[in-house]
Amino acid sequence: MVDRRQVMAFRVRAQQLDRAHGSLADTAVLDIGVQDTGPDGGRWALATRGVDVTPLNGDDLVLLWTVRGAPHLYRRPDVGAVAAAVEPFSDADAGKRIYDAAKPLKAAGIGILDALDEVAARMREIVRKPTVKGEVSGRLAEMMPEPYLRHCRPCDATHLYEMPFRLAAVRAGLELRLDTSPPVLERIRAFRPAAAAGDRFELIRAYLRLLGPATPKHVADYLDAPVKEVKGRWPHDAVEVSVDGETRWLLADDEAALASADATTTRLLGPFDLFLQAKDRSTLVPDAARAKELWPVLGRPGAVLADGELAGAWRPRKSGRSFTVAVQPWRRLTGSTREAVVAEAERLAAYRGVPLAGVDFAD
């Protein structure tokens, strides 16, 4: 039996948030993918895990639409294994992952995996050179039949449904060029999907390794997959763990690490950091009002991680060349913790390439 504090400390250690230095090769979160959303996205997540991100470029990292259709960073040499790992488990799984786009395809008698293959084939035909997403989408709308398309009211135009578009991109061997907005798609050089992902990149195992102990529903929610599909592929070496009376699972190799976990580090986590992507939000933030503050419908803040607990929320304030970090503590912070938060804010400012004007603690 373990309590939530042990779970939190285990995840801090498993995700290497407690280390000062690291390389891409030994950064565990890149096995599952690092979501790259917003200015404090993927590379800030790597920086908080001790990686020097200054020299990193497209030779080191590849940006792909993968889990939940979100853009994620991976090591470029791993792209073949990643492509195998993010494949839907089945046609039913693929249907759930593309949301409302599945209904017209099913009504037309088109299998979801077949539909993704068809979209991927057309996308690869279109993207022979770096191409802006809007152009790819427009040309697809001219090529694809009605079940693949929807009318978009905001722009009064007909488009391919968004999730099939995103999930077909890796199947087409396409990546997103780093630091482009709107996104630019281009072919992945020498792309060849692996026959199997292997234990390191298999997503259920990666979730348990980095966000465990967890239940099949937690993993299914993270992947947008049916719980039945996840249960059918549950690792044979997963062992039961009781977390505050709830039965969860952990990989057997991680039992000792869970039992001995401790965490004293302070970090400013980006809004979409993997630590905050765990689907047991009540474990991360037991207070419902605080959880609502951290995960609003729109405009997520970042989170202050202090001594293995989420101790507050933070937001960047930028005006011209002035950069301030506004911190909303959820408890009284000690002097040493406040100093550590300021040090992290200085790192964030350096990462953004602006001087830090100050840290505003809303006491």
Side-chain angles (χ1 to χ4, degrees), residues 76-286:
R76 183 166 290 281
D78 298 336
V79 68
V82 169
V86 301
E87 269 285 303
F89 298 131
S90 67
D91 212 67
D93 178 23
K96 190 172 190 302
R97 296 192 195 198
I98 65 170
Y99 309 142
D100 57 338
K103 185 176 180 180
L105 291 169
K106 290 178 180 178
I110 301 171
I112 307 302
L113 292 174
D114 289 340
L116 291 178
D117 285 338
E118 181 64 19
V119 174
R122 301 289 82 76
M123 289 178 77
R124 190 160 182 85
E125 288 178 11
I126 294 167
V127 183
R128 297 181 180 276
K129 61 181 182 180
T131 309
V132 176
K133 179 193 174 188
E135 181 179 343
V136 180
S137 179
R139 292 181 62 185
L140 276 173
E142 296 172 355
M143 301 169 72
M144 305 302 295
E146 184 176 347
Y148 292 83
L149 307 175
R150 66 176 180 86
H151 181 72
C152 177
R153 289 184 179 180
C155 54
D156 192 26
T158 298
H159 302 303
L160 199 80
Y161 281 88
E162 184 67 15
M163 288 303 289
F165 182 94
R166 291 186 175 222
L167 296 186
V170 172
R171 301 170 84 89
L174 302 180
E175 64 180 283
L176 302 168
R177 178 171 284 188
L178 295 176
D179 305 317
T180 56
S181 181
V184 172
L185 288 91
E186 58 187 350
R187 291 188 174 189
I188 302 169
R189 52 186 181 268
F191 176 65
R192 178 177 293 181
D199 285 355
R200 182 178 181 184
F201 301 100
E202 199 280 316
L203 292 177
I204 297 174
R205 297 184 66 84
Y207 189 100
L208 291 176
R209 193 167 64 246
L210 297 167
L211 291 166
T215 67
K217 188 177 188 310
H218 293 150
V219 180
D221 288 349
Y222 177 81
L223 298 176
D224 275 340
V227 176
K228 180 181 178 181
E229 298 281 356
V230 172
K231 284 184 175 179
R233 293 160 178 81
W234 205 241
H236 64 86
D237 56 340
V239 294
E240 287 190 8
V241 177
S242 179
V243 179
D244 291 332
E246 180 187 36
T247 300
R248 301 189 187 185
W249 284 263
L250 188 74
L251 296 178
D253 286 348
D254 293 327
E255 280 190 284
L258 175 64
S260 63
D262 189 25
T264 58
T265 192
T266 298
R267 294 286 184 263
L268 294 181
L269 304 178
F272 294 90
D273 190 276
L274 181 67
F275 195 86
L276 306 178
Q277 298 279 14
K279 292 304 178 180
D280 56 342
R281 288 181 174 179
S282 63
T283 299
L284 297 180
V285 183

